[in-house]
Amino acid sequence: MENITRKTLIYKSGLGIPAINHVRGCSHGCRYPCYAYMIAHSHQQVKSYDEWCKPQLVSNAAELLSKELSHKRVLPDHIHLCLSTDPFMYRYPEVTEMTLKLIRIMNSCGVHASVLTKGILPEELADEKKYSIKNTYGISLISLNEDFRKRWEPGAAPYSERIAALKNLSENGLTTLVHMEPYPTPNIIQQNLTNILESVSFADTIQFGGWNYNNLPKQFPEFEKFYTSQAAIVMRFCKEHDIHCETF
Ligand code: SF4
């Protein structure tokens, strides 16, 4: 894996939350398409999808994070990893190692990590001596069908592995989240939403949102009605299972 260096790390995202991206590019290569790739491509930071899928690690990320946190007069409550790459990139142990190091640095300063991945959350995160129990761990999950994953998230971890790793952290008493977005319409894949919800019924929060990255969902008749009905299923499921629900 190639390395790069950066001058700064923590930034305030468009969502208003502090975030870091300690990798440039992402081997998961989502084809919805990936919003981060489209932005990087439009700013000519990457020339092609193939280049995006060859991630480069920010080798000085730990030094930058320590320096930037020590210079802050008011520390943020939490920092999000990541909005423009994946913190636990599947089959990239260098990324996992760096992410764990960065979470330890944040936690040692009293800053909590909010993590979202399509990779495997390491068991090590359950070690209370090293990692804050106030961190939040999330996976993205919009299907259980592996053919769908290979088509739309080709480099990401298989769904069963993603869920098992999240469940393990949940069973260790940690706060977990499932991000179900971009949820596909039936012309993309026919699937049963309740089966997906059942597979993550242990989660503390479920977020549900539609597929807004291209026009495919709009080709499904009455796609807006479809999303309204699916959001109602999510809300009902969450209420029945005492799960915090966010739909958008
Ligand atoms: S995991 Fe996230 S950053 Fe990586 S390609 Fe997919 S959408 Fe983009």
Side-chain angles (χ1 to χ4, degrees), residues 25-30 32-37 52 83-86 118 156:
C26 182
S27 65
H28 293 168
C30 300
Y32 322 125
C34 166
Y35 184 69
Y37 162 66
W52 175 256
L83 290 172
S84 302
T85 186
D86 196 295
K118 291 188 182 82

Side-chain angles (χ1 to χ4, degrees), residues 77-149:
D77 175 67
H78 68 277
I79 295 180
H80 185 72
L81 308 88
C82 300
L83 290 172
S84 302
T85 186
D86 196 295
F88 290 111
M89 211 171 283
Y90 193 51
R91 296 190 167 137
Y92 275 84
E94 308 94 317
V95 175
T96 292
E97 194 184 322
M98 177 66 86
T99 300
L100 290 173
K101 192 172 182 179
L102 297 177
I103 295 174
R104 288 196 299 271
I105 292 171
M106 285 176 204
N107 289 169
S108 69
C109 300
V111 177
H112 309 127
S114 108
V115 175
L116 186 63
T117 184
K118 291 188 182 82
I120 309 291
L121 288 155
E123 284 181 40
E124 184 181 334
L125 291 165
D127 183 347
E128 289 181 26
K129 292 194 193 97
K130 290 186 179 168
Y131 302 94
S132 169
I133 55 169
K134 292 187 178 167
N135 293 334
T136 303
Y137 301 107
I139 57 166
S140 297
L141 185 79
I142 52 173
S143 181
L144 298 175
N145 183 309
E146 278 299 302
D147 290 333
F148 174 88
R149 181 191 63 75

